[in-house]
Amino acid sequence: MPTALAVLDTAIERFPKVPELRWDRAALRARAGQLADAAADLKGPVARGTLDPAALGRDPDLAALAADPRFAGLVQLPELRVAATAPPDGLVGDRWELELELAGPPGALVVAAAGPVPPAQLLSVVEDVLEEGALDTRRRLQWRARLTGPATGRVGPWTVRSGALEATAKALPLEVTALGAADPGGVGSGWPAELPVPSALRQGAELPVVATRGASLFLAAPAHHRLTLPPACVGIERRHPGRRDWHGALCPVGGGGAWSIADGDRTVQQGTL
């Protein structure tokens, strides 16, 4: 009975221009430790653009090729890239916004503080999908808050995880000044150590969603639904370029107040905290 490698040898002889056959043979060769032969299978299709190094990098059988400096650029391992921006100063009571721009594989993100957090009440979070592909997605996350106390120094850094990948957004300077009896006013939650991410909160569930997430109730509804919320809720929104995809909120369980989701004049769901 012919081996899988022998079957692929025969197939490639008959169909030498089918790049997927060379990918399959390269994977078998790499698993057997035959890295030079595996690379020889991939070089032609990669050079011609019929195989994508980023796609090859998601094949665990080819990981050894990516780690070998002799074959640099042939197999591109997935990576997560992140950049952070925020205003460096403000007054108690001012609005303040942390923005992370991320590029990497699609999937749920976890964003957690690895250093000091700002003295702020979180008011809302927006996730913008800037570019979306099967292998790489660009997103912008914006957490909007109201500054609640004076501070001098730095906030962050923030660690971002997507599956097995991890990246760190640098710490940022922040100086908050209180003028007289400045009152931050308003409502919202304190700045959490783990920041909410809309797509991760939804977890792919069908809309509308009403679910518990830690000590909060998570609500999500299609863009055309109307949400009525108590004032202590944190607004949630996910967008694609130029349009709202869906919206919702995180509301403290036991915080009191009524909420509802309506489609036109029809109440879809309702309850109290």
Side-chain angles (χ1 to χ4, degrees), residues 80-273:
L80 184 62
R81 303 174 299 282
V82 58
T85 57
D89 50 36
L91 301 175
V92 172
D94 281 356
R95 294 295 181 98
W96 186 82
E97 179 176 289
L98 170 68
E99 179 176 295
L100 298 186
E101 190 153 330
L102 305 110
L109 297 170
V110 177
V111 181
V117 300
Q121 290 177 317
L122 186 62
L123 301 176
S124 66
V125 54
V126 176
E127 179 180 12
D128 270 306
V129 180
L130 305 176
E131 295 179 15
E132 191 168 29
L135 300 177
D136 206 43
T137 298
R138 285 183 57 236
R139 286 178 269 190
R140 181 186 299 121
L141 286 158
Q142 298 167 315
W143 293 273
R144 295 165 179 159
R146 180 175 286 108
L147 296 168
T148 57
T152 301
R154 303 180 77 81
V155 291
W158 285 272
T159 299
V160 182
R161 295 192 303 276
S162 176
L165 301 178
E166 186 173 298
T168 300
K170 66 181 180 180
L172 299 169
L174 179 61
E175 182 171 349
V176 185
T177 304
L179 291 181
D183 179 3
V187 292
S189 67
W191 188 274
E194 184 172 311
L195 286 165
V197 177
S199 55
L201 287 168
R202 181 178 167 185
Q203 299 177 358
E206 185 176 345
L207 297 172
V209 180
V210 179
T212 301
R213 299 283 187 263
S216 298
L217 185 69
F218 173 59
L219 311 171
H224 67 279
H225 281 37
R226 185 178 71 259
L227 299 179
T228 302
L229 303 166
C233 296
V234 173
I236 303 288
E237 187 173 347
R238 191 170 193 267
R239 303 189 302 209
H240 281 78
R243 66 174 177 85
R244 175 189 279 178
D245 187 8
W246 55 268
H247 65 147
L250 275 177
C251 302
V253 173
W259 60 267
S260 66
I261 301 173
D263 183 2
D265 295 331
R266 180 176 65 91
T267 298
V268 178
Q269 287 183 274
Q270 61 184 343
T272 57
L273 296 175

Side-chain angles (χ1 to χ4, degrees), residues 15-58:
F15 306 103
K17 295 184 178 180
V18 178
E20 290 78 12
L21 293 174
R22 293 191 179 275
W23 182 345
D24 289 342
R25 189 168 71 178
L28 288 177
R29 287 174 162 175
R31 285 174 60 183
Q34 301 167 11
L35 297 187
D37 290 336
D41 267 329
L42 300 176
K43 283 179 180 177
V46 168
R48 291 189 292 272
T50 55
L51 286 180
D52 181 357
L56 297 173
R58 284 155 176 80

